[in-house]
Amino acid sequence: MKKLVVASTSTVHGKGYLEYILPSLSDFFKGVHEILFIPYARPSGLTYEAYTEIAKNAFEKIHIKIIGIHEYLNPIDAINNAKGIFIGGGNTFLLVEQLYSHKLISAIKNVVENGVPYFGTSAGSVVTGITMQNTNDMPIIYPPSFDTFKLLKFNLNCHYLDPDVNSTHMGETRETRIHEFHTLNKIPVLGLREGSWLQVEGSKIILKGKLNSRLFQQNKPTVELPPETDFSFLM
Amino acid sequence: MKKLVVASTSTVHGKGYLEYILPSLSDFFKGVHEILFIPYARPSGLTYEAYTEIAKNAFEKIHIKIIGIHEYLNPIDAINNAKGIFIGGGNTFLLVEQLYSHKLISAIKNVVENGVPYFGTSAGSVVTGITMQNTNDMPIIYPPSFDTFKLLKFNLNCHYLDPDVNSTHMGETRETRIHEFHTLNKIPVLGLREGSWLQVEGSKIILKGKLNSRLFQQNKPTVELPPETDFSFLM
């Protein structure tokens, strides 16, 4: 049975890395003592080593060992032997380019569909959708495709941000950008606010955290849906 | 001689479409009575017709006729016969995908290098650089390449936005995103604030408007440069 925790962000304002979600992760990874960490998204250009160290320090608090995928000679073997997988945030274009260049898209999809628990934050959550096309990131590298794991049958916009009514800035709001996406694409998009996550167990997809999520669908009114909503109707 | 006006935005807060820059455009397009408008970027999913109408209404005030490229049977002929070109803003991924699908990248580069005056706003400015990789837009469609006109030998970040020091949002700032770009790429990036534009005449590239621009270069300190700076040192 597919098991995922798909989080909008690694860090909420005023708290440490993963601090807000560690108690839930402790339950989610019950019985798992070692997790494979994929640092490919390199937030702020961090090295794989430095990024993995941050993940290690957080998971140590719930007594789980983290090993970076770059520590293995063969990343596909690393995936196939993983007891749990965590893909951290950063730049989604870089993450997707690296996943393709290491031939990991189908490898990861396959083990997660066969029950290896998967945790993603931000870019690591965006890739659980059909495509990466609702990322907020800058296209710093050209990936061979925008298609991702398709573990969810919809797309995610992480760090979802409501329009600032006092802003004088003329750049598009997040909502405008997602509406532009729907002039060309049918894929539903879920805007996940920081501090929210989806808890996926088989066909159940429950919204967790304290905030509503915002669901965008082509040719339908945009709706706000509260915590504990089951999004399996999108699958 | 190459002649371009490369603007961060079409519209500044509290003013009408192009209002802030029309007097400069009137000088820039002196002697040009008809401009070819390229509406491919479709802001908010506007149709080509509706978008062209907006451009028409603005240029009417300075007695210049606008014709949309979609009104021509052959867009390459339209480019080769144009007396002036205006590419409007919207979604940069869509604009670039459409420019490639109509085989216009080299056609436009060629006529502009041969003296046809070019005006761009936002996405229409981003494409004057080496690549579109410093756009803020969502990847709503997959273009065949991120390479653009290379009329400027650097890239642009339009609608450049300073970090909001009061924000509790954990998404990356614009500066962080551009620094991530420079962990992988050498191309200099100029952050153009709204209301700023570059006036290009041959090898001279002068910053216009009231605000500084912010120049990001790989392995160099980021610098603020004032109006009237000549950016030809980047060429």
Side-chain angles (χ1 to χ4, degrees):
Chain A
M1 191 179 70
K2 200 158 61 177
K3 283 180 64 186
L4 298 91
V5 167
V6 177
S8 175
T9 185
S10 61
T11 312
V12 295
H13 183 72
K15 293 209 173 183
Y17 183 74
L18 299 183
E19 190 180 339
Y20 78 101
I21 202 169
L22 272 183
S24 304
L25 292 176
S26 182
D27 283 350
F28 178 69
F29 283 117
K30 187 156 270 177
V32 175
H33 304 292
E34 191 177 291
I35 292 173
L36 183 70
F37 178 60
I38 300 183
Y40 293 155
R42 299 182 57 203
S44 301
L46 279 180
T47 63
Y48 293 162
E49 292 73 18
Y51 194 15
T52 302
E53 198 58 32
I54 291 170
K56 268 185 193 169
N57 292 340
F59 272 91
E60 211 164 62
K61 293 172 193 157
I62 55 170
H63 315 292
I64 294 177
K65 188 176 167 190
I66 287 283
I67 304 187
I69 194 166
H70 59 287
E71 299 171 41
Y72 289 87
L73 268 182
N74 183 327
I76 296 179
D77 286 350
I79 297 294
N80 289 332
N81 293 313
K83 302 288 179 276
I85 295 173
F86 169 26
I87 302 191
N91 186 287
T92 314
F93 290 87
L94 180 56
L95 170 59
V96 170
E97 191 274 339
Q98 287 289 295
L99 289 172
Y100 275 101
S101 84
H102 291 103
K103 303 190 181 358
L104 296 185
I105 297 278
S106 58
I108 293 173
K109 181 182 167 69
N110 182 51
V111 298
V112 177
E113 280 180 340
N114 284 292
V116 172
Y118 178 100
F119 170 47
T121 59
S122 195
S125 293
V126 169
V127 292
T128 64
I130 295 180
T131 73
M132 57 160 284
Q133 290 178 276
N134 301 97
T135 179
N136 310 309
D137 295 337
M138 207 170 250
I140 64 173
I141 193 164
Y142 186 72
S145 166
F146 287 159
D147 286 5
T148 50
F149 298 143
K150 306 183 199 304
L151 290 161
L152 304 177
K153 301 300 178 215
F154 52 92
N155 277 359
L156 290 171
N157 180 255
C158 289
H159 303 277
Y160 183 77
L161 199 58
D162 293 292
D164 174 357
V165 292
N166 297 314
S167 174
T168 60
H169 187 72
M170 303 302 287
E172 292 88 349
T173 64
R174 195 66 59 80
E175 177 141 355
T176 299
R177 295 176 192 282
I178 297 171
H179 285 315
E180 287 180 350
F181 174 76
H182 278 143
T183 64
L184 301 176
N185 301 279
K186 286 184 183 168
I187 303 169
V189 179
L190 189 63
L192 264 189
R193 294 183 172 90
E194 293 179 349
S196 296
W197 69 95
L198 299 176
Q199 183 109 25
V200 182
E201 284 187 26
S203 61
K204 268 173 53 185
I205 305 174
I206 309 296
L207 175 64
K208 296 291 180 181
K210 292 176 190 153
L211 302 174
N212 292 346
S213 284
R214 196 161 173 84
L215 177 63
F216 301 85
Q217 291 177 281
Q218 195 184 43
N219 303 325
K220 288 192 186 173
T222 300
V223 287
E224 289 278 327
L225 290 158
E228 301 303 324
T229 297
D230 184 347
F231 285 94
S232 58
F233 68 90
L234 292 174
M235 305 291 271
Chain B
M1 191 180 71
K2 199 158 62 175
K3 284 180 64 186
L4 299 90
V5 168
V6 177
S8 176
T9 184
S10 62
T11 312
V12 296
H13 184 72
K15 295 210 172 183
Y17 183 75
L18 299 182
E19 190 179 339
Y20 78 100
I21 202 169
L22 273 182
S24 304
L25 292 177
S26 183
D27 283 351
F28 178 69
F29 283 118
K30 188 158 271 175
V32 175
H33 304 292
E34 191 177 289
I35 292 173
L36 182 70
F37 178 60
I38 300 182
Y40 293 155
R42 298 184 58 204
S44 301
L46 278 181
T47 62
Y48 292 161
E49 292 74 19
Y51 194 15
T52 302
E53 198 59 32
I54 292 170
K56 268 185 193 171
N57 292 339
F59 272 91
E60 210 164 62
K61 293 170 192 157
I62 56 170
H63 315 292
I64 294 177
K65 189 176 164 189
I66 287 282
I67 304 187
I69 194 166
H70 59 288
E71 299 171 40
Y72 290 88
L73 268 180
N74 183 327
I76 296 180
D77 286 350
I79 297 294
N80 289 332
N81 293 312
K83 302 289 178 274
I85 294 173
F86 169 26
I87 302 191
N91 185 286
T92 314
F93 290 86
L94 180 55
L95 170 59
V96 170
E97 191 274 341
Q98 287 288 295
L99 289 171
Y100 275 101
S101 85
H102 292 103
K103 303 189 181 358
L104 296 184
I105 296 279
S106 58
I108 293 173
K109 180 180 168 70
N110 181 51
V111 297
V112 177
E113 280 179 341
N114 283 292
V116 173
Y118 178 100
F119 170 46
T121 58
S122 194
S125 292
V126 169
V127 293
T128 65
I130 296 180
T131 72
M132 57 161 283
Q133 290 179 277
N134 301 97
T135 178
N136 311 309
D137 295 337
M138 209 172 248
I140 64 173
I141 193 165
Y142 186 72
S145 168
F146 288 158
D147 285 6
T148 51
F149 298 143
K150 306 184 200 303
L151 289 160
L152 304 177
K153 302 300 179 215
F154 51 92
N155 277 359
L156 291 171
N157 180 257
C158 290
H159 303 277
Y160 183 77
L161 199 58
D162 294 293
D164 174 357
V165 291
N166 297 313
S167 174
T168 60
H169 188 71
M170 303 301 288
E172 292 88 348
T173 64
R174 195 67 59 80
E175 177 141 355
T176 299
R177 295 176 193 282
I178 297 171
H179 285 315
E180 287 180 352
F181 174 76
H182 278 143
T183 63
L184 300 177
N185 301 279
K186 286 184 183 168
I187 303 168
V189 179
L190 189 62
L192 265 189
R193 294 184 173 91
E194 293 179 348
S196 296
W197 69 95
L198 299 176
Q199 184 108 26
V200 182
E201 285 187 24
S203 61
K204 268 173 52 184
I205 304 173
I206 310 297
L207 176 64
K208 296 290 181 181
K210 294 175 190 154
L211 303 173
N212 292 346
S213 284
R214 197 162 172 84
L215 177 63
F216 300 85
Q217 290 176 281
Q218 195 183 42
N219 302 326
K220 288 191 185 174
T222 300
V223 288
E224 290 278 327
L225 291 158
E228 301 304 323
T229 298
D230 185 346
F231 284 95
S232 58
F233 67 89
L234 291 175
M235 305 291 271

